[in-house]
């Protein structure tokens, strides 16, 4: 059974067995208690929880720990310097951070394509008023799934960048806890499967926010959505522990905090948020599942519960989560700008600390999503002011980036184009924020397309564009090959133009009263032509992403072999062979200068021992 | 520093252009309430500020890309400078000042509107709004009138008490600007002063399930005198059992299933029902007195009439209908001899 040697195959088989076994046991228990054996909700709930565990068992997540628990020595990871192709490693439980980084990134792209296809489907329906190709329920399911699937994709992408980059950037051989690291990836897979399967188990019509009471009444798909997000949340928490410990404990000699590559600062702030906040969405969703399954009335006023309580707990994660999505992306912008501008990052310390400040303030703004729930004036004004304060550290970043451009020698390769695109998109995203922060204007634009356009700007500018920049930039590092620059540029321009067509129309009709999350809209409001423009823009984005996928697949297989340091970067990861060997550096590198001293004759950031010929 | 002249000049010129555009553009739906003026002018002020920041950033951004691009044949690196503490402090402190000033202003605007989180004042017209999947009902408690269209006088402040039966909805008339959620188990309030005669729509702004998109009800704003005439008429109907009952029965869809002429529909006919004996599915017989009729409206499964199915009639009329409406329907049934 050669197929069975792949962890993913084993995991899926074990997972299905666990799912069925869990369901069977639940049915047996129900029958023994005198209940009807089959009840879809409780039976599938325990089935999917057992299936998640057996999935992890199948992939081998517990193998080494089980050996240790029995007092045996865990086998050395079998992959050191072995012959044969590398790709099977990507289908296995592999503790190497570079492999895990690629696993996360590829998963992110696949999940993002799924979410994108959903959006392109319901955008067709929205192009004209009236219902043409689907029911309002189908629209609600697609729209809701689009939201949560994209968020899951972003979390995977953040994990991808963090895993691939942090150890190399700080001169470490790997993450602090490699097996925990692999677990953080593999536990996300059944979570993602659950989230996507919500579409095939009845769907859920609550939006990704899953507010009760609607979430309590929603079809069975909602249960898979809540449980799936809970499991993906575990992945975030486990991953963030690793990032924090690794960054604190495993920096190369001489790498003080203010000599870390700036991306690592962004990830440090991100990991703190993930570690502290993620359990809140887990708890909120778990409470809804308990209310659905067992009638516990946490959010049911008839049973003494409180509807708005859910929103407080939910947003205590879900607003900081926005900074989980964007801080790594802003880190990529800060990281790449100096390389393509050929001069130091302006105001390094200010940019680094602004990430920490955003992370801190991010915890104090959650209720700005809830002005329309009638918070009362004290909460209203407090959250308005904290929300506006976010503009200050974000402004520091923007102005510092401008000053970084000033006086440079700028080139415009694909990664740089995506960085510059993010700058523009995120600028508009940021500037459209205050309208939602002021109570009086928020009570007008809240739950309109203005908000939809605003957060798509922050997500595309803060994550999607930087993520593409990062993929292009570190593609040669991961594969040893170069992507097609021509296709990369076509991808960029299609996305830039398409995205703005999409959102500018959304901003405009949002200001004129277009509600969000509606399957159909009143033709008398005259939004039809604008909606057509938005749909057209969305399809341009779709075509761009298709070209990206083609570029990646072709280049990974047949791309030109990349030169060792195509971007002439001073960062440690570019001093390694591509792809780097397991353990990264033969001897720990030594940090002897500032990270971005481009333009200073004779400056050097790290001293890395030349890789011996014995390696790759 | 000479390089600064062009982008600075461009910033000034384009800022003026952008501000003039914001000033002239129709940024929002046509206003129809007194509150719209303050909301719209705050929105415009926000857009002035962001237009200037947008222009400032974009001009320096695009100028830099052009002026500091690598020319053909160039090989060197950029100018080597790390930071400028004065600049960093400046672009931290200036935004802080703007944020504090605007925060103060924003708090004043919402406080001066006296639209949210305020007690009812004596001359407000009180309207109880109830949202439920997927319709709105409007009750005028002081007049004892309930409707499915929202009819309001122009120029008088209206105190909305917002309630929800099943899930969260949001009460929003875009032309009135401010919206507020209706939440099960919690009463929200919103005070608005319609000031444009015309027809608008309440549009539910919080995702509430299958027909959320269509959860819209007509709003009519009338001149004060017309409103009074309409209200007098409604009060007259409400106090006339022969008129109030038919209206309520139509409003809640009763007569879709219960005929008034003796023909058999999904539910038992109302003709000749009151005071007569009714055979139930369980074999017993009851007399259709007031208590029986009331029970059949608020708890339709309590007694199933022989030959009819259970679980057809909605069970939430107790929460959707006022006591007066229930009494009106019973009185109406009693007139159908």
């Amino acid at each position: 059974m050669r197929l069975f040697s792949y962890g993913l195959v084993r995991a899926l088989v074990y997972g299905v067995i666990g799912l069925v076994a869990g369901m069977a046991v639940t049915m047996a228990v129900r029958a023994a208690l005198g209940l009807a054996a089959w009840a879809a909700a409780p039976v599938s709930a325990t089935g999917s929880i057992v299936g998640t565990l057996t999935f992890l068992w199948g992939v081998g997540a517990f193998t080494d720990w089980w050996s240790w628990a029995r007092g045996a020595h865990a086998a050395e990871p079998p992959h050191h310097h072995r012959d044969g192709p590398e790709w099977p490693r990507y289908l296995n439980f592999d503790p190497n951070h570079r492999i895990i980084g690629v696993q996360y990134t590829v998963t992110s792209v696949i999940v993002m394509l799924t979410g994108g296809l959903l959006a392109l489907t319901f955008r067709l329906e929205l192009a004209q008023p009236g219902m043409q190709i689907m029911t309002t329920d189908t629209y609600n399911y697609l729209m809701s799934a689009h939201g949560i699937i994209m968020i899951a994709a972003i979390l995977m992408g953040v994990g991808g960048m963090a895993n691939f980059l942090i150890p190399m950037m700080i001169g470490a051989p790997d993450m602090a806890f490699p097996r925990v690291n692999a677990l953080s990836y593999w536990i996300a897979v059944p979570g993602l499967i659950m989230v996507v399967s919500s579409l095939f188990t009845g769907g859920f019509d609550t939006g990704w926010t899953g507010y009760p009471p609607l979430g309590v009444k929603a079809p069975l798909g909602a249960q898979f959505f809540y449980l799936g997000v809970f499991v993906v949340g575990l992945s975030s928490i486990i991953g963030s522990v690793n990032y924090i410990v690794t960054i604190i404990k495993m920096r190369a000699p001489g790498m003080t905090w203010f000599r870390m590559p700036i991306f690592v600062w962004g990830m440090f702030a991100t990991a703190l948020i993930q570690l502290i906040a993620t359990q809140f969405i887990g708890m909120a969703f778990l409470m809804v599942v308990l209310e659905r399954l067992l009638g516990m009335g946490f959010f049911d006023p008839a049973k003494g519960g409180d509807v708005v309580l859910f929103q407080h707990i939910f947003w205590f994660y879900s607003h900081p989560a926005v900074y989980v999505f964007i801080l790594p992306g802003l880190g990529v912008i800060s990281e790449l700008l100096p390389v393509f501008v050929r001069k130091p990052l302006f105001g390094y310390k200010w940019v680094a600390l602004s990430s920490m400040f955003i992370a801190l303030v991010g915890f104090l703004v959650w209720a700005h999503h809830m002005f329309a729930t009638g918070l009362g004036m004290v909460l209203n004004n407090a959250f308005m002011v904290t929300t506006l304060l976010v503009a200050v550290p974000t402004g520091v970043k923007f102005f510092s980036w401008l000053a970084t451009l000033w006086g440079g020698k700028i080139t415009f390769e694909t990664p740089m184009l995506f960085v510059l695109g993010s700058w523009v998109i995120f600028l508009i995203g940021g500037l459209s924020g205050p309208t939602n922060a002021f109570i009086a204007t928020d009570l007008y634009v809240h739950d309109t397309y203005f908000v939809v356009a605003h957060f798509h700007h922050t997500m595309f500018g803060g994550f999607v564009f930087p993520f593409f920049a990062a993929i292009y930039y570190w593609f040669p590092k991961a594969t040893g090959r170069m992507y097609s620059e021509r296709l990369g540029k076509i991808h960029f321009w299609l996305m830039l133009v398409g995205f703005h067509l999409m959102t500018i129309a959304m901003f405009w009709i949002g200001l004129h009263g277009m509600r969000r999350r509606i399957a159909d809209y009143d033709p008398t409001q005259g939004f039809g032509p604008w909606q057509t423009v938005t749909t057209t823009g969305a399809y341009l984005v779709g075509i761009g992403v298709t070209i990206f996928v083609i570029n990646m697949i072709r280049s990974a297989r047949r791309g030109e072999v990349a030169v060792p340091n195509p971007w002439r970067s001073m960062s440690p990861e570019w001093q390694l062979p591509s792809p780097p060997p397991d353990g990264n550096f033969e001897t720990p590198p030594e940090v002897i200068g500032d990270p971005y001293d481009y333009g200073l004759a004779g400056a050097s950031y790290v001293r890395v021992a030349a890789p011996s010929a014995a390696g790759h | 520093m000479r390089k600064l002249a062009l982008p600075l000049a461009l910033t000034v010129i384009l800022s003026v252009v952008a501000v003039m555009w914001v000033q002239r553009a129709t940024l929002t739906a046509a206003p129809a309430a007194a509150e719209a003026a303050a909301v719209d002018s705050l929105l415009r002020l926000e857009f002035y500020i962001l237009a200037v920041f947008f222009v400032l950033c974009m001009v320096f951004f695009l100028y830099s890309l052009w002026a500091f691009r690598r020319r053909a044949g160039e090989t060197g690196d950029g100018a080597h400078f790390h930071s400028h503490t004065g600049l960093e402090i400046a672009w931290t402190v200036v935004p802080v000042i703007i944020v504090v000033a605007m925060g103060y202003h924003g708090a004043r605007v919402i406080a001066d509107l006296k639209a949210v989180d305020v007690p009812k004042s004596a001359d407000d017209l009180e309207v109880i709004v109830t949202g439920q999947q997927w319709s709105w009902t409007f009750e005028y408690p002081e007049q004892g009138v309930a409707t499915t269209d929202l009819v309001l006088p122009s120029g008088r402040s209206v105190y909305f008490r917002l309630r929800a039966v099943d899930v969260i909805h949001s009460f929003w008339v875009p032309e009135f600007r401010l919206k507020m959620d209706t939440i099960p188990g919690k009463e929200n309030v919103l005070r608005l002063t319609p000031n444009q005669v015309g027809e608008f729509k309440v549009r539910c702004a919080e995702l509430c399930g299958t027909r959320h998109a269509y959860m819209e009800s007509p709003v009519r704003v009338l001149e004060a005198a017309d409103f009074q005439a309409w209200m007098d008429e409604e009060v007259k109907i409400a106090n006339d059992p022969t008129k109030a009952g038919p209206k309520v029965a139509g409003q809640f869809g009763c007569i879709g299933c219960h005929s008034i002429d003796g023909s058999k529909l999904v539910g038992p006919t109302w003709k000749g029902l009151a005071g007569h004996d009714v055979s139930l599915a369980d074999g017993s017989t009851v007399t259709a007195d007031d208590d029986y009729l009331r029970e059949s409206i608020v708890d339709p499964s309590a007694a199933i009439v022989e030959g009819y199915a259970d679980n057809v009639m909605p069970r939430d009329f107790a929460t959707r209908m006022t006591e007066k409406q229930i009494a009106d329907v019973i009185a109406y049934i009693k007139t159908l001899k």
Side-chain angles (χ1 to χ4, degrees), chain A residues 282-296:
Chain A
M283 176 168 124
F285 278 14
L286 193 62
M287 288 162 94
V288 179
V289 170
L290 291 174
E291 183 163 336
R292 289 173 61 97
L293 284 176
L294 306 172
M296 295 181 174

Side-chain angles (χ1 to χ4, degrees), chain A residues 136-137 342 347 372-374 377 384 407-408 410 431 435 438 441 443-444 446-447 511-512 515 520 522 597 599, chain B residues 26-27 46 50 68 70 77-80 82 88 103 117 179-181 186 188 203-206 209-210 213-214 216:
Chain A
T136 56
D137 274 331
R342 308 308 300 170
T373 63
M377 274 309 184
M384 171 184 69
I410 305 169
L431 290 175
T435 312
F438 292 103
T441 46
L443 292 179
Y444 180 58
H446 180 70
D447 272 327
L511 281 175
H512 289 80
R515 296 173 287 155
D520 193 5
D522 188 344
D597 263 340
Chain B
T26 309
L27 293 175
E46 290 161 24
L50 35 118
F68 304 115
R70 180 177 296 275
D77 284 342
H80 184 266
H82 270 279
E88 295 280 4
D117 196 22
K179 67 170 69 69
M180 191 57 70
D181 291 352
K186 178 179 196 286
N188 272 331
R203 303 176 191 271
C204 177
E206 177 69 41
T210 307
Y214 303 113
E216 298 177 320

